[in-house]
Amino acid sequence: MSVERILVYSRTTGFRHDSIPAGVAAFRELGAEAGLTVTATEDPEELAAGLPGARAVVFLSTSGEVLTDEGRRALRAFLADGGGFLGVHGASTTEYDWPWFGTDVVGAVFDGHPALQPGVVAVEDHDHPATAHLPARWEFVDEWYNFTSNPRPRVRVLATADETSYEGGGMGADHPLVWCHERAGGRSFYTALGHTSESFTDPAFRAHLRGGLRWVLNTPGVKSS
């Protein structure tokens, strides 16, 4: 019997996060827990070739233009066929010249951030495996991404940034930070968190990623949006 697999893609042509190796290690461990093989790559040709037959793809702090034309076609087909997409942190800084990716895959496009600092994640939907374990107010250290538009009309918002808890917020009282949707055909989950390497060894954040992965994999018993 073949082993199911996921792809972790971390190519960057813009800013590169130092946390990428820690993130890759975390997803290798989460995949092993779920009985999945994990292929980590920064090769766009390997990504395009590997998408058919995969269960999910993780865009782990990708940045800039990271896909070939073949890769774009493969990603469209993968999601249309019910594949899962999990975007972490810099995934929203990716493929600016391909609006479909920002709006229909990730759900929103990055628009700057304040300095790295502590803040509060306000969890508004606990009926999801990525947030079920979290307190209503989750203290975290991150960059608190702003976005060019509020994705709420297009997605199921799971958690927001409390801009009163840090300096430099740019979206006001309704600042989505974590969400999911099925706009592109398959399941898409995005979390703006994950700037630091330490995030990926934090038990609460690891459980957050585990729940997001379970949801995009459409694990039995995990509710749809």
Side-chain angles (χ1 to χ4, degrees):
M1 184 176 64
S2 62
V3 178
E4 295 183 319
R5 59 189 173 82
I6 63 172
L7 301 173
V8 177
Y9 191 54
S10 55
R11 185 184 183 201
T12 59
T13 61
F15 183 83
R16 185 166 183 88
H17 281 82
D18 292 340
S19 60
I20 286 174
V24 170
F27 277 104
R28 287 193 185 281
E29 292 172 8
L30 292 173
E33 289 174 10
L36 302 164
T37 61
V38 177
T39 298
T41 184
E42 299 199 356
D43 181 343
E45 294 184 1
E46 184 177 7
L47 175 77
L51 280 170
R55 287 285 308 280
V57 61
V58 178
F59 273 51
L60 174 63
S61 282
T62 49
S63 69
E65 305 307 309
V66 299
L67 296 173
T68 61
D69 289 343
E70 182 184 3
R72 288 183 174 188
R73 289 191 293 270
L75 183 61
R76 273 191 181 272
F78 173 73
L79 290 169
D81 197 38
F85 175 91
L86 195 158
V88 178
H89 197 53
S92 62
T93 73
T94 301
E95 294 290 316
Y96 288 121
D97 293 337
W98 192 25
W100 179 80
F101 181 83
T103 301
D104 287 353
V105 181
V106 175
V109 175
F110 171 77
D111 191 31
H113 64 76
L116 181 71
Q117 62 190 296
V120 171
V121 179
V123 178
E124 64 178 65
D125 186 344
H126 280 97
D127 192 22
H128 190 283
T131 49
H133 66 291
L134 295 173
R137 292 178 60 79
W138 180 28
E139 296 182 358
F140 205 73
V141 176
D142 218 288
E143 291 181 318
W144 310 105
Y145 275 13
N146 297 310
F147 302 97
T148 58
S149 64
N150 189 318
R152 188 177 292 275
R154 304 184 297 274
V155 303
R156 172 185 169 187
V157 175
L158 305 176
T160 59
D162 178 357
E163 291 193 356
T164 68
S165 68
Y166 65 92
E167 298 293 329
M171 297 183 67
D174 184 22
H175 183 156
L177 205 65
V178 182
W179 57 77
C180 62
H181 64 89
E182 297 178 63
R183 295 174 55 84
R187 291 186 168 193
S188 292
F189 172 89
Y190 174 75
T191 178
L193 304 173
H195 174 74
T196 69
S197 297
E198 292 78 10
S199 298
F200 291 95
T201 57
D202 177 87
F205 186 66
R206 286 283 288 261
H208 178 59
L209 296 178
R210 182 185 296 110
L213 185 60
R214 286 185 61 221
W215 189 83
V216 301
L217 291 170
N218 203 1
T219 301
V222 176
K223 296 181 180 179
S224 173
S225 59

